[in-house]
Amino acid sequence: MLMNNETDVLICGAGPTGLTLALVLAQRGVSFRIIEKMEAPFHGSRGKGLQPRTLEIFEDLGILETIMATGAPYPPQREYQDDGSWHDSPTSEQRLPTPSEPYLTPWMVPQFLTEAAMRTRLGELGHQVEFGCGLIGLESQEQGVNARITGKCGEQVLRARYAVAADGGRSFVRNLLQIDFPGKTLGVRAVVADVSLQGSSRDVWHRFSGGTQERQIALCPLAGTDLFQLQAALAEDEEPDLSAEGLTSMVLERTGRADIPVVAVHWASAFQMHARLAQRYRVGRVLLAGDAAHVHPPTGGQGLNTSVQDAYNLAWKLAAVLAGADETLLDTYEEERRPIAESMLGLSTRLLEEAKRGEMRRGREVQQLDLGYPGSSLALETSVREHGPRAGDRAPDAPVATLPGTPLRLFDLFRGTHWTLIGFHVPLLHSLEAKGMQVHLFGPGGNLVDCDGHFHDAYGLQRGEWMLVRPDGYIGAIVAADHLESLKDYLQRVGVSLRGVDLVAPRKSGFD
């Protein structure tokens, strides 16, 4: 039994990374504490763009309705020329949702409102962030970690079975563990500020190029607020005045317009852009996630979204290991997520170069729907497939129905903490029960109907094939009927407890 100073997981940092991790652990009944050295919640807009894959995750976490009600689509960009003329263009590709991809455009929500929605949901699950409580020491041992924390919580030693560093790009934990953080400084400085201003409409994202990078400035209306986000590149030796008067002068100098005064500054930051990736994501029972593991320029809106996916990947694996799965399952976290971060560094750096030239339109490459883990040791595939996603890919959505005709989405079936096993025209097994897994069947004797063919279009499963979907919405395995023993071995590896399972390869006459 855990004492007051004991917990399963210590989460250091309560930004989007730490909050995602906390929400998944809370759904699974894992004990944790989430501490944040700041005295109060972050109040800036910083990561304001939520990509489609993140919206799918937020649906699973139970906060999508709040997020959608709070935010709005990105407005079109209005590019002003030196002669005062302008032209409008869409910020991102305009695509309608499809049965397999229900969210296809980024959604603008200032980061402080995203975090507020996450904290509210965490409170509904019976947990809260401990603000003003910082980590000052960490000792990793064979069976757990001893963490020294101090602040509003008082100085104390906390014993945890695992600790996760979600404490940002200047991570105290990463430095304490002496994990190298190689990369480069990109030679680009910028200022971002949330401001109240006058004289600018809220129906477009105002962009003034100014001919050179150091004269660029943008004013983006922030959805869910009456604020604008001011973005401006800085010269290498420029020290900006971040007061309302100073930013008003910057706007005047770069736009030539005196009719856009900054009335108040609600948050502001001047920063240097970097591209860095931690040498490793784990030391014993301490793991890195989010900006503690990788930092890259904000172009393309990848930072917050990549960090949320880090936590979403790690959380179910932590919960499984704590419930008895082999600890080597945690090794797949770095195996799967570090290559993703490496590719995001390349993408965001390339987009930064485009932004320097005034090119800001974004396409599918930033939406994170095509990212997956096809080379992962958790990707099992025994069939030769000509159509549809592979093991390791994101599991698409699809409208289906129950036998009585009640409409459902596959995402409805995937939602929650369980694994999902789907059989397509498979022989009926004598028994198939597993703690932490739900089973659904298409075909004779099944419980689902592919009434409009959307499931088959999305997956292309062949008769007799089984598909296993992980708790984080990625395909873990696709196996043919004569490879069911490999499926059984897979489930045991990831900690799914099988009960009364008859996985004998069936005779051909069992097919319909």
Side-chain angles (χ1 to χ4, degrees):
M1 180 177 180
L2 297 173
M3 306 299 290
N4 289 336
N5 64 337
E6 295 181 335
T7 192
D8 282 330
V9 181
L10 172 64
I11 305 171
C12 302
T17 310
L19 288 168
T20 300
L21 190 71
L23 284 169
V24 178
L25 295 180
Q27 287 179 329
R28 293 171 170 273
V30 174
S31 72
F32 65 89
R33 287 177 66 174
I34 176 169
I35 62 173
E36 170 56 60
K37 66 180 180 180
M38 291 172 46
E39 298 289 326
F42 174 70
H43 63 279
S45 64
R46 191 158 50 202
K48 68 180 183 297
L50 300 178
Q51 301 296 346
R53 177 56 187 158
T54 301
L55 297 178
E56 293 179 355
I57 292 172
F58 283 177
E59 182 176 18
D60 183 43
L61 297 180
I63 62 172
L64 182 64
E65 287 188 8
T66 301
I67 290 295
M68 299 302 284
T70 300
Y74 273 72
Q77 299 178 68
R78 176 163 294 175
E79 188 79 22
Y80 294 87
Q81 308 303 318
D82 290 340
D83 61 4
S85 63
W86 48 264
H87 70 274
D88 291 349
S89 61
T91 301
S92 59
E93 294 180 355
Q94 305 301 299
R95 300 176 61 200
L96 295 176
T98 68
S100 62
E101 296 177 343
Y103 314 107
L104 278 181
T105 57
W107 199 249
M108 185 197 295
V109 185
Q111 183 172 327
F112 68 91
L113 292 180
T114 296
E115 292 184 10
M118 299 175 86
R119 287 193 303 273
T120 297
R121 178 60 179 152
L122 191 62
E124 293 170 353
L125 295 173
H127 299 269
Q128 62 182 5
V129 176
E130 299 178 49
F131 286 102
C133 188
L135 184 74
I136 58 174
L138 191 67
E139 179 187 4
S140 184
Q141 299 178 336
E142 185 176 350
Q143 299 300 319
V145 296
N146 289 332
R148 291 175 53 225
I149 57 179
T150 190
K152 292 179 181 179
C153 50
E155 186 164 343
Q156 56 184 281
V157 175
L158 175 65
R159 177 75 172 172
R161 294 174 67 182
Y162 292 94
V164 178
D167 54 345
R170 299 177 180 178
S171 172
F172 173 78
V173 177
R174 187 190 64 238
N175 290 323
L176 194 67
L177 296 174
Q178 298 183 326
I179 297 176
D180 289 340
F181 201 40
K184 59 183 178 180
T185 298
L186 299 175
V188 178
R189 297 178 65 241
V191 60
V192 60
D194 299 344
V195 300
S196 297
L197 54 77
Q198 298 175 349
S200 192
S201 64
R202 297 188 60 84
D203 58 339
V204 295
W205 185 347
H206 305 272
R207 304 189 63 86
F208 302 84
S209 295
T212 64
Q213 178 188 345
E214 289 76 15
R215 292 190 58 79
Q216 291 179 7
I217 192 167
L219 301 170
C220 180
L222 286 172
T225 77
D226 58 1
L227 303 174
F228 283 78
Q229 185 187 72
L230 181 152
Q231 306 159 309
L234 297 173
E236 185 63 31
D237 57 353
E238 185 177 358
E239 294 299 333
D241 178 354
L242 300 181
S243 67
E245 295 77 12
L247 293 179
T248 296
S249 297
M250 179 183 286
V251 172
L252 173 60
E253 178 185 356
R254 299 193 183 199
T255 68
R257 292 177 55 176
D259 61 337
I260 314 178
V262 174
V263 177
V265 179
H266 296 259
W267 170 76
S269 174
F271 62 98
Q272 178 78 256
M273 296 188 191
H274 302 269
R276 299 187 181 278
L277 178 62
Q279 199 74 50
R280 55 194 301 197
Y281 277 28
R282 180 185 179 193
V283 175
R285 289 181 171 251
V286 185
L287 301 105
L288 308 183
D291 286 355
H294 46 76
V295 294
H296 29 91
T299 41
Q302 299 298 287
L304 181 151
N305 296 275
T306 301
S307 298
V308 165
Q309 289 208 54
D310 282 352
Y312 196 58
N313 181 291
L314 174 59
W316 73 263
K317 295 174 181 178
L318 272 174
V321 170
L322 288 165
D326 193 290
E327 191 175 354
T328 58
L329 180 61
L330 292 180
D331 294 334
T332 67
Y333 165 61
E334 178 174 341
E335 175 193 354
E336 294 182 341
R337 292 304 302 168
R338 194 172 185 278
I340 296 291
E342 189 171 18
S343 68
M344 287 303 99
L345 262 66
L347 173 63
S348 56
T349 302
R350 175 176 64 80
L351 294 177
L352 176 62
E353 294 303 312
E354 294 180 3
K356 291 178 182 179
R357 301 191 296 268
E359 302 172 17
M360 291 297 295
R361 186 170 179 177
R362 303 290 178 247
R364 187 178 176 89
E365 75 275 9
V366 303
Q367 297 180 356
Q368 303 201 347
L369 291 169
D370 298 324
L371 299 179
Y373 319 116
S376 168
S377 61
L378 289 182
L380 170 66
E381 194 164 319
T382 67
S383 304
V384 177
R385 313 189 72 240
E386 298 180 355
H387 172 66
R390 308 292 299 270
D393 289 344
R394 163 191 168 273
D397 197 6
V400 296
T402 64
L403 289 182
T406 303
L408 287 172
R409 296 166 56 205
L410 283 186
F411 278 8
D412 295 330
L413 304 179
F414 298 161
R415 188 178 303 123
T417 63
H418 57 272
W419 293 74
T420 306
L421 182 62
I422 294 178
F424 188 73
H425 290 261
V426 294
L428 300 181
L429 301 179
H430 174 67
S431 175
L432 185 54
E433 297 180 21
K435 182 180 180 181
M437 184 174 74
Q438 294 184 6
V439 182
H440 300 282
L441 304 177
F442 290 92
N447 63 323
L448 295 178
V449 178
D450 187 15
C451 45
D452 295 310
H454 290 300
F455 174 79
H456 189 264
D457 289 344
Y459 287 92
L461 290 184
Q462 302 301 308
R463 286 174 174 261
E465 287 187 327
W466 291 88
M467 179 181 69
L468 182 67
V469 178
R470 300 171 9 166
D472 58 356
Y474 288 86
I475 299 171
I478 300 176
V479 299
D482 56 351
H483 286 81
L484 291 181
E485 281 296 335
S486 63
L487 178 61
K488 179 179 179 180
D489 293 341
Y490 183 105
L491 290 169
Q492 290 175 335
R493 178 191 174 194
V494 297
V496 177
S497 177
L498 301 170
R499 303 191 308 271
V501 179
D502 181 3
L503 289 179
V504 177
R507 293 186 298 273
K508 186 174 180 180
S509 60
F511 288 86
D512 289 297

